[in-house]
Amino acid sequence: MAATAPAAQRLLHAHLAAGSAERERFIAIVFFALTSLALVAVAAFAPEGYDVVLPQMLLFAPPFAYHAALLVALRRGWFHPIVPWLDAIVQTSTLAAPYYMLVRAGGIDAVTESSIRVGWVALVGASAMRASPRISLASGVLAAGELLAISLGLAGDQLTSQQHAQLYLSAAFIVVAGGASASAAIYVVRQADAALRAVREQDLMGKYLLHERLGAGGMAEVFRATYSPEGGFEKAVVVKRVLPEIASRTDGERFLAMFREEASLGASLAHPNVVQVLDAGTFRDRYVVAMELVDGASLARVLRRGGALPAFAVAYVGAELAAALDYIHARVDRDGTSLQLVHRDVNPPNVLVSRLGEIKLSDFGVAHAVNRASLDAGRVYGKLGYLAPEQVDGSAIDGRADLFALGLVLYELAVGAPLFRGRSVDEVADFRVIEAELPAELPPALARLIADLLAARPGDRPARGTVVRDRLLALAGDAAPYPAGQAELARRVREALADPPAESAATPATPATRDTPPTAATKLL
């Protein structure tokens, strides 16, 4: 295999290994059917009485019972890497007992005239289905050994030198059949390898190999992937790919425009607290975006696993997110004009926490540059429980809407539950938060900051993320965000990852207006 695609080769071998159980199940079905037919044929067409037929039927009973038990075991998921070898031994030896009975009864004539050796060749050839050259070779050697052992053991002293030569030639032919079967297995694997390389040259722009799907929504699906360009360099990434049916939807063009805008905005951002967009392109009319892989869990999963965070961890998350928001709000266009960029979807599922406790803001699918022409005029996007009042009112928004959402996230981290529970637009638009709703043990300075962030009027909130960060960094004692905050988040992530993932598939962000309020939590993928 060429060194330019080592990941492709590993993917093929992993796929073949993962399919071993299914291949053995198929082979077991074939042999179960063959032994069943053999039993029926012996019982129905043998001219002798049952005193003769019964011993003949017993010759096929063991392989019949074995394959019946094997099918039950495989159906229940009981599989071990030694099973293909054991199956090959049993299946190759299926004809050993009938051949032994023939030679014992017929002597030299059975050795020289029996057609069972043709069946042995067929059994050895069938081993190629396992795509394992070693098993095929071993099957050929085993079948040839059984032929020689039975023939020489029961009729060897009756064979002439010419018959001896013919017998060894037959055994050699069976071994050659094993070699041919092994060659066929090698050829099939190499052809699959070559096909995989050929597909790889085009698939996903020739640079990305998709692995397991991490999630899917109404707009796109997300995969863990390997970035593997020419030269063998590899990097673990996340690939987001638009679903094929999007183009046929009535609002498909708008969603595709939003997807491209997300990639464009993400690629322009470079901050340690923002998930980086690495690449974007089109493959087979489907838009693809490659992004930084954060080895960790979402803040939502961390909350579900461990509940509310201590004050210093809340302050740490707030300081890191405030830095990210201040960065994106301060972005300028190429001509130096402020973009007035607003994320519009700050909520726990979109905040990723690495195993080291690093905080990363993700998902710019509904981010919006206020001073640009809107792709979705008259619509409000985001997760309803994390919208600012001005967002659902249809008023003009700026970065302070994101700071309101940050306040909601910090409230949820401190309390262990979201502030908005009725999930109605009116609840967001008409609420008034009071500082007393926060836990009494929360440091007063942190409680005041959360209350300020949740002010109903944008003018009453902190003006910028840097102001929020400075107030959090000023916290002292048990509320100080550094250095204990990051260590606590890292610990929480490890605990969350120790449990099976319980996050549901994400759904696309949808318009949220007073006329058409969303009925479920929304997140754009």
Side-chain angles (χ1 to χ4, degrees), residues 396-458:
I397 64 171
D398 57 23
R400 290 171 295 183
D402 286 341
L403 296 182
F404 183 92
L406 174 60
L408 290 171
V409 171
L410 297 184
Y411 177 96
E412 186 169 348
L413 293 178
V415 175
L419 176 60
F420 297 133
R421 303 177 190 224
R423 311 198 68 80
S424 70
V425 172
D426 290 336
E427 180 187 34
V428 179
D430 300 335
F431 98 105
R432 295 294 183 270
V433 67
I434 56 174
E435 197 171 331
E437 292 179 354
L438 293 163
E441 63 273 15
L442 202 66
L446 180 56
R448 282 194 298 274
L449 174 60
I450 294 175
D452 289 346
L453 287 170
L454 294 177
R457 296 193 319 132

Side-chain angles (χ1 to χ4, degrees), residues 123-134:
L123 291 176
V124 171
S127 67
M129 289 189 292
R130 293 186 172 87
S132 173
R134 291 183 296 175

Side-chain angles (χ1 to χ4, degrees), residues 29-43 57 60 63-64 68:
I29 290 174
V30 172
F31 276 87
F32 179 81
L34 291 176
T35 52
S36 300
L37 290 175
L39 289 171
V40 172
V42 170
M57 292 180 66
F60 294 100
F64 171 84

